[in-house]
C-alpha cells in the first residue's frame, strides 16, 4: 500500500486530534482574552440569525448522529433488533435533515461573510477559511448522503473505532469512495485547525444558563430597603 495513503489514514488523524486537544488547552491557558465566538451580530443580524441557527442545530445533531452511528458496532445494535437496514434507513433520513441544515446554514454564513461590506471590514481571512472549510466538509457529507449510497457500517465505522482504540486499520479505507475520503480528511483537518480559529468557542456552550439563578436588575417592592 502507498506510504502516503497509510500516513493519511493512520498518522494524520492522530496529528489532527492531538493538535485539537493540546491546541485548545494551550490557547485557553495563554490567550484567555481572545476566547470567544467573536460575534458579528451587531454588524448584521438577519442572515446571521438564519445561517447560525440552521448551522448550529444541524452541526450539533450531526455530531451526535456520527457518534452514535459510528462508534457503536453493528453487532451490538443487532442484539437490540436494530438491523443494518434499519440503521442505514435512520442514518439516511436523519442525516439528510440535520446535514442539509448544517450545509445550508454554513453556505448562508459564507455568503454573508463574502458579500456584506461591514462583515468584510470587521472579519479576517481566518474567518473565511473557517466557514469555507465548514461548507466543504458539510457539503461533502450531504453529497454522500444524497448521491453516494455507500455502506459505511463495515468500512469507515470500524476504521473510526480503530482510531479511538489506537489500532487504526488503513486497509478498511481502501475501497471507500473519494467523496467520503474528502469528507473524513477535511473534517479531521478542520479539527486540527480549530484551536487557531474562532471555533474555540465550541467548548463554551452555556449549559449553566439553563440552571443558573435569575439575575435581578430591579428592586423587589417591599423586599429591599431604599437606603441600600
Ligand atoms: C457547543 C455549542 C455552540 C455554541 C453555544 C455556539 C455559539 C456561537 C455563537 C454565540 C456564535 C457567534 C454568533 C454571532 O456572530 O453572534 C457562533 C458563531 C459560529 N459558530 Fe458556534 N457555537 C457552538 C458550536 C459550534 C460548532 C460545533 C461549530 C462548528 C464545528 C461552530 C461554528 C461556528 C462558526 C463558524 C461561527 C461563525 C459564524 C460567522 O460569523 O460567520 N459552532 N457560535
Amino acid at each position: 500500500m502507498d506510504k502516503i495513503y497509510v500516513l493519511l489514514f493512520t498518522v494524520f488523524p492522530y496529528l489532527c486530534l492531538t493538535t485539537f486537544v493540546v491546541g485548545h488547552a494551550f490557547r485557553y491557558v495563554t490567550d484567555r482574552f481572545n476566547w470567544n465566538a467573536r460575534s458579528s451580530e451587531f454588524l448584521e443580524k438577519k442572515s446571521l440569525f438564519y445561517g447560525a441557527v440552521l448551522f448550529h442545530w444541524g452541526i450539533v445533531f450531526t455530531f451526535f448522529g456520527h457518534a452514535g452511528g459510528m462508534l457503536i458496532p453493528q453487532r451490538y445494535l443487532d442484539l437490540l433488533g436494530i438491523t443494518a437496514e434499519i440503521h442505514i434507513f435512520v442514518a439516511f433520513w436523519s442525516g439528510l435533515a440535520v446535514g442539509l441544515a448544517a450545509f445550508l446554514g454554513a453556505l448562508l454564513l459564507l455568503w454573508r461573510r463574502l458579500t456584506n461590506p461591514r462583515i468584510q471590514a470587521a472579519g479576517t481571512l481566518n474567518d473565511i477559511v473557517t466557514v469555507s472549510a465548514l461548507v466543504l466538509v458539510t457539503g461533502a457529507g450531504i453529497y454522500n448522503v444524497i448521491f453516494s449510497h455507500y455502506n459505511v457500517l463495515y468500512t469507515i465505522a470500524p476504521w473510526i473505532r480503530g482510531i479511538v482504540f489506537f489500532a487504526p486499520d488503513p486497509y478498511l479505507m481502501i475501497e471507500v469512495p473519494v467523496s467520503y475520503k474528502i469528507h473524513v480528511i477535511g473534517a479531521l483537518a478542520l479539527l486540527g485547525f480549530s484551536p487557531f480559529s474562532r471555533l474555540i468557542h465550541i467548548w463554551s456552550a452555556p449549559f449553566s444558563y439553563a440552571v443558573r439563578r435569575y439575575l435581578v436588575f430591579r428592586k423587589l417592592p417591599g423586599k429591599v430597603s431604599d437606603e441600600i
Side-chain angles (χ1 to χ4, degrees):
M1 203 178 354
D2 194 351
K3 277 203 185 86
I4 302 279
Y5 182 88
V6 177
L7 287 176
L8 213 52
F9 293 102
T10 53
V11 177
F12 183 68
Y14 291 109
L15 208 61
C16 297
L17 293 172
T18 308
T19 313
F20 181 79
V21 175
V22 178
H24 281 109
F26 184 77
R27 184 146 173 213
Y28 186 75
V29 173
T30 57
D31 190 22
R32 196 76 70 87
F33 286 114
N34 277 319
W35 190 273
N36 62 60
R38 302 203 26 247
S39 171
S40 56
E41 191 182 0
F42 67 103
L43 298 171
E44 193 281 331
K45 278 188 176 37
K46 203 172 168 199
S47 54
L48 175 71
F49 173 78
Y50 291 109
V53 169
L54 264 177
F55 172 73
H56 280 92
W57 280 112
I59 205 79
V60 168
F61 279 104
T62 302
F63 170 78
F64 288 119
H66 278 64
M70 303 272 196
L71 294 183
I72 305 171
Q74 184 54 42
R75 61 180 182 282
Y76 294 127
L77 296 177
D78 285 335
L79 295 177
L80 299 172
I82 304 170
T83 61
E85 287 71 32
I86 298 175
H87 188 163
I88 288 168
F89 179 81
V90 173
F92 175 79
W93 287 106
S94 55
L96 188 64
V98 296
L100 212 50
F103 174 59
L104 294 178
L107 213 52
L108 188 52
L109 290 174
L110 182 61
W111 172 79
R112 174 179 177 268
R113 290 235 150 245
L114 295 177
T115 57
N116 186 308
R118 305 180 81 193
I119 306 294
Q120 276 176 327
T124 62
L125 180 63
N126 189 309
D127 293 335
I128 295 176
V129 171
T130 306
V131 182
S132 305
L134 286 166
V135 169
L136 177 83
V137 172
T138 53
I142 207 67
Y143 173 89
N144 291 334
V145 173
I146 298 175
F147 300 109
S148 176
H149 302 283
Y150 176 72
N151 187 343
V152 303
L153 296 184
Y154 305 105
T155 50
I156 305 182
W159 172 74
I160 291 183
R161 291 197 292 276
I163 301 275
V164 174
F165 293 110
F166 300 105
D169 179 0
Y171 285 95
L172 288 167
M173 295 298 284
I174 280 186
E175 300 291 321
V176 169
V178 75
S179 58
Y180 282 84
K181 287 180 178 145
I182 292 175
H183 179 62
V184 168
I185 297 296
L188 285 166
L190 195 57
L191 289 179
F193 178 63
S194 173
F196 310 100
S197 74
R198 60 162 64 207
L199 291 180
I200 47 167
H201 75 275
I202 58 183
W203 295 104
S204 300
F207 293 123
S208 58
Y209 184 79
V211 289
R212 68 141 207 238
R213 294 173 62 133
Y214 290 116
L215 295 178
V216 180
F217 288 103
R218 63 181 170 78
K219 293 174 188 166
L220 291 176
K223 287 264 172 88
V224 182
S225 159
D226 282 342
E227 286 99 53
I228 295 176

